[in-house]
């Protein structure tokens, strides 16, 4: 979900206004995902690298995550979304982590749309954390294959990613789901995240639908 800062700057607004605008597009997009038959959606909200931002912006973002959880979780629950947290659990402010864990518990019985919130998430951190747990579990080299390894990721149930949507025109992966995107298709758009509309989401899905996926075969 990239481009909030640029969206705000173009309007002479503070970055925080861009982040708030970024939150406001979530509900229509989630509705669109549900209607389009998307089963799993991951939102990359805050990376392990984002802690390097000025303290004030980090604080603003953490408060926004908390307010957004309080505001949106009941509604998402009613619509049958199942929420999951994806990331390191040790560094986030306690109220944010608690809100996420409460949302996970509240929605655990739902099954319309699985929504993963990647917060304090980094693909490299996830792989390192998985490796640590494999070593701690005492697995021997011959026990480790791709299936076993994937079981040690933060959320082993996250399916292989089909489509990555990258807003704001950046042509990079930015440490997102490194393991899971091995054969993902990409949709890159110059649209800044707060301007990303349900119509464009549908276009991204249509673009995905028209591709031929050979996964290294012929
Ligand atoms: C994405 O927008 C929001 C987060 C990373 C939390 P940015 O804040 O990165 O927006 P730009 O890249 O400055 O436009
Ligand atoms: Mg950015």
């Amino acid at each position: 979900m990239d481009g909030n800062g640029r969206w705000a700057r173009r309007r002479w607004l503070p970055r925080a206004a861009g982040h708030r605008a970024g939150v406001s597009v979530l509900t229509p997009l989630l509705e669109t995902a549900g209607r389009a038959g998307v089963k799993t959606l991951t939102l990359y909200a805050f990376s392990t690298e984002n802690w390097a931002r000025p303290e004030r912006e980090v604080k603003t973002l953490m408060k926004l995550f908390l307010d957004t959880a309080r505001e949106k979780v009941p509604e998402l629950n009613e619509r049958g979304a199942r929420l999951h947290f994806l990331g390191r659990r040790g560094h986030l402010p306690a109220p944010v982590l608690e809100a996420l864990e409460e949302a996970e518990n509240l929605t655990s019985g739902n099954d319309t749309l699985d929504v993963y919130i990647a917060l304090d998430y980094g693909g490299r951190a996830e792989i390192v954390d998985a490796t640590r747990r494999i070593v701690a579990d005492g697995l021997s080299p011959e026990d480790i294959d791709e299936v076993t390894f994937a079981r040690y990721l933060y959320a082993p149930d996250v399916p292989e990613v089909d489509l990555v949507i990258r807003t704001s025109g950046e042509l990079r992966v930015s440490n997102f789901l490194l393991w899971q995107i091995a054969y993902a298709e990409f949709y890159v758009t110059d649209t800044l995240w707060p301007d990303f509309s349900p119509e464009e989401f549908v276009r991204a899905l249509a673009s995905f639908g028209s591709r031929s996926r050979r996964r290294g075969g012929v």
Side-chain angles (χ1 to χ4, degrees), residues 70 73 95-108:
R70 288 187 179 137
V73 168
V96 174
L97 188 61
E98 280 161 21
L100 285 161
E101 290 181 343
E102 268 172 36
E104 283 184 320
N105 291 335
L106 178 73
T107 62
S108 62

Side-chain angles (χ1 to χ4, degrees), residues 37-42 158-165 176-177 180-187 204-205 207-209 211 213 215:
V38 170
K39 295 306 292 173
T40 307
L41 187 81
T42 303
V158 176
E160 281 260 319
V161 172
D162 289 319
L163 174 66
V164 174
I165 297 176
F176 182 59
L177 300 178
Q180 299 88 336
I181 64 171
Y183 277 100
E185 298 289 327
F186 277 73
Y187 176 90
L205 295 173
S207 156
F208 169 78
R211 300 184 197 184
R213 303 180 79 197
R215 297 170 162 266

